[in-house]
Amino acid sequence: MELVVKQISEDELEDFVSILREAALWIKNGGVEMWSEGQLSIEKLLKNQSIQEMYIGYINNEAAATMILQEKDTILWPELEENDSLFLHKLAVRRKYAKLGLSGEMVDWAKVQAKSLGKTYVRLDCAADRPKLCLFYENQGFKRVSERVMFGKYLTAFYEFTIA
């Protein structure tokens, strides 16, 4: 199975959101809430990101994974002024394709994009109280650079990967 990653078009927004909602429900059923339903509406996503920053990974022409790649993140990384990073958000895999390594392939694709754009880093944040998630990113070569409470209640780990 070959993963093909591409920037989405407007008619793929529903597929993009459905993968995120499926992942959020799976995480919630595991006892942790990740993204609320309100955060995963098309309107909310388009308010905070442009459609040009949204990507879907396809397996056999079926939408299998999502991610957002941004060149700026002034909300979570306000201390960064240089344009030296790609910021990775909303990485999710449809449950049908779980345990096949798609998350790692999506991250690898983001690293290639960062390199092609002349970036020095791929940066991301995740819930610091989710050890399996943190370990996943660490196994992908990301280094934890800080940890802080966001929005008064979310313990968040901040990671960066240095592009070679």
Side-chain angles (χ1 to χ4, degrees):
M1 290 190 298
E2 182 184 347
L3 178 69
V4 176
V5 181
K6 68 181 204 87
Q7 191 176 61
I8 72 167
S9 59
E10 203 168 306
D11 62 340
E12 293 166 304
L13 273 167
E14 204 53 61
D15 282 337
F16 186 89
V17 169
S18 74
I19 294 170
L20 289 173
R21 286 181 178 153
E22 185 178 317
L25 181 61
W26 175 74
I27 294 165
K28 185 176 182 176
N29 288 340
V32 179
E33 186 161 358
M34 181 72 164
W35 301 307
S36 70
E37 189 69 28
Q39 290 175 297
L40 300 180
S41 71
I42 290 173
E43 297 76 22
K44 179 74 172 185
L45 288 168
L46 290 175
K47 181 180 177 191
N48 296 319
Q49 290 88 28
S50 75
I51 198 165
Q52 293 81 18
E53 297 170 324
M54 299 177 190
Y55 295 84
I56 292 181
Y58 287 90
I59 297 287
N60 298 326
N61 295 317
E62 184 180 353
T66 64
M67 71 180 159
I68 292 173
L69 291 176
Q70 297 177 296
E71 289 196 63
K72 290 184 181 178
D73 185 340
T74 56
I75 295 171
L76 296 173
W77 297 81
E79 71 280 7
L80 300 179
E81 294 180 23
E82 299 176 37
N83 190 16
D84 66 349
S85 304
L86 272 186
F87 298 92
L88 174 63
H89 297 289
K90 302 279 191 286
L91 177 63
V93 174
R94 198 175 288 289
R95 301 318 309 151
K96 172 181 176 179
Y97 294 103
K99 307 287 186 208
L100 298 177
L102 294 187
S103 293
E105 287 187 57
M106 294 289 283
V107 169
D108 288 344
W109 191 89
K111 292 173 184 175
V112 169
Q113 294 309 300
K115 185 171 187 165
S116 74
L117 293 169
K119 304 296 183 185
T120 305
Y121 303 100
V122 175
R123 290 185 160 118
L124 59 90
D125 66 279
C126 69
D129 60 354
R130 295 192 53 218
K132 287 182 182 178
L133 180 60
C134 292
L135 184 59
F136 165 76
Y137 288 121
E138 290 162 11
N139 287 338
Q140 298 298 314
F142 286 80
K143 303 289 182 227
R144 189 181 295 216
V145 294
S146 69
E147 191 174 288
R148 61 186 184 267
V149 175
M150 297 299 298
F151 311 112
K153 60 182 175 177
Y154 302 110
L155 184 58
T156 305
F158 291 83
Y159 285 92
E160 66 183 24
F161 176 87
T162 303
I163 303 297

